[in-house]
Amino acid sequence: MLYYAKTEALRMLRNRRYLIFVVAFPVLLYLINANIYGKQTDPGGVPYNVVLMVSMAAYGALAASMMSSAVPWATERQSGWLRQLQITPLPSWAIIATKLGAALVLVLPSLVLVSVVAIVQQGVSLPVGTWVPLLLVLWLGVLPFVALGLAIGSVLSADAAQPAAMICMFALAIGGGLWFPPEVLGDTLKTVADLTPSFHYANLGQSLVAGHGLPLTDVLVVAGWAVVLGGAAAYLYRRATVRA
């Protein structure tokens, strides 16, 4: 199981799409926006270079979780590799757990790199008591997006899973206010954002850096989406297995 997890992680680290959309793109967006708006503060008094750090780290983590689950899962199912794994001594739960673990490992580079760039280039400084829960929440909060990626990979071919995952990724990033606040596009998008797991996921981090702790509503929404999407992924995985 550990060898399988290591193989999964190494395969994604060699993937150019992963390096561009997950590692380089969030850092680039952060540098551009932080150097333009970084010295301003939001209505709560939090510097924008900190707000943008949380948003870009959340976007990178979201992208990593979906890119590392949807397309590889669809490819393995279509090629018959998933079927081969199912006839090995590796139990089905271990296959899912390995995919989940590999996705969580691949989320870390984006979180760490955006944070390091914010510290080095923008001089962001937070107490250790804020850094630890912030990174932990942004790390574990990607579970709904991993589940969504697995669900996409269970129903679509490898060629179709990639654009579908990217469309969902960009929609969640924009609709959830990770690239810019939903308020700037009016009440309609703000209403849509309130329904997305990405909005509440990023808001967990924003609340921590503002010193407000973890809002219970955001925790419950993210957890609820994780349960719903996790159940959908499990059902679609079983159906794909039966058909195979």
Side-chain angles (χ1 to χ4, degrees):
M1 182 175 174
L2 291 176
Y3 178 77
Y4 178 41
K6 177 183 176 182
T7 303
E8 287 293 305
L10 289 176
R11 181 173 63 172
M12 284 303 300
L13 289 173
R14 298 189 185 104
N15 188 315
R16 293 182 180 179
R17 289 187 297 269
Y18 170 82
L19 294 176
I20 293 173
F21 288 104
V22 175
V23 179
F25 195 47
V27 172
L28 180 61
L29 280 180
Y30 176 75
L31 287 173
I32 293 173
N33 287 287
N35 281 288
I36 296 174
Y37 307 107
K39 294 183 179 180
Q40 301 179 24
T41 58
D42 72 358
V46 180
Y48 266 121
N49 57 7
V50 177
V51 173
L52 290 168
M53 177 192 72
V54 174
S55 295
M56 289 302 101
Y59 163 69
L62 184 158
S65 60
M66 295 199 66
M67 292 288 285
S68 62
S69 55
V71 179
W73 193 247
T75 302
E76 291 180 4
R77 180 177 57 81
Q78 188 174 340
S79 67
W81 174 241
L82 182 58
R83 183 62 177 167
Q84 292 297 316
L85 288 175
Q86 290 168 342
I87 61 176
T88 68
L90 199 64
S92 296
W93 67 264
I95 298 174
I96 300 294
T98 300
K99 282 291 184 183
L100 177 60
L104 288 175
V105 169
L106 292 166
V107 163
L108 292 175
S110 179
L111 294 179
V112 173
L113 283 174
V114 172
S115 300
V116 169
V117 169
I119 294 170
V120 174
Q121 207 274 334
Q122 288 291 313
V124 170
S125 178
L126 297 174
V128 175
T130 301
W131 276 117
V132 173
L134 173 64
L135 294 176
L136 188 62
V137 163
L138 292 180
W139 184 49
L140 296 178
V142 299
L143 292 177
F145 313 118
V146 177
L148 177 58
L150 293 176
I152 291 172
S154 294
V155 296
L156 297 178
S157 67
D159 291 336
Q162 179 181 337
M166 293 183 67
I167 289 171
C168 289
M169 179 181 70
F170 289 135
L172 287 169
I174 297 172
L178 303 186
W179 287 357
F180 41 77
E183 290 84 354
V184 302
L185 294 183
D187 295 335
T188 300
L189 189 59
K190 177 62 169 62
T191 302
V192 174
D194 285 335
L195 301 175
T196 64
S198 51
F199 174 79
H200 296 276
Y201 165 62
N203 200 53
L204 290 171
Q206 303 292 4
S207 181
L208 283 172
V209 297
H212 302 319
L214 293 176
L216 181 59
T217 300
D218 295 321
V219 172
L220 292 177
V221 170
V222 172
W225 272 107
V227 172
V228 171
L229 292 174
Y235 168 75
L236 293 172
Y237 166 70
R238 287 195 298 269
R239 193 175 74 166
T241 303
V242 170
R243 288 184 174 181

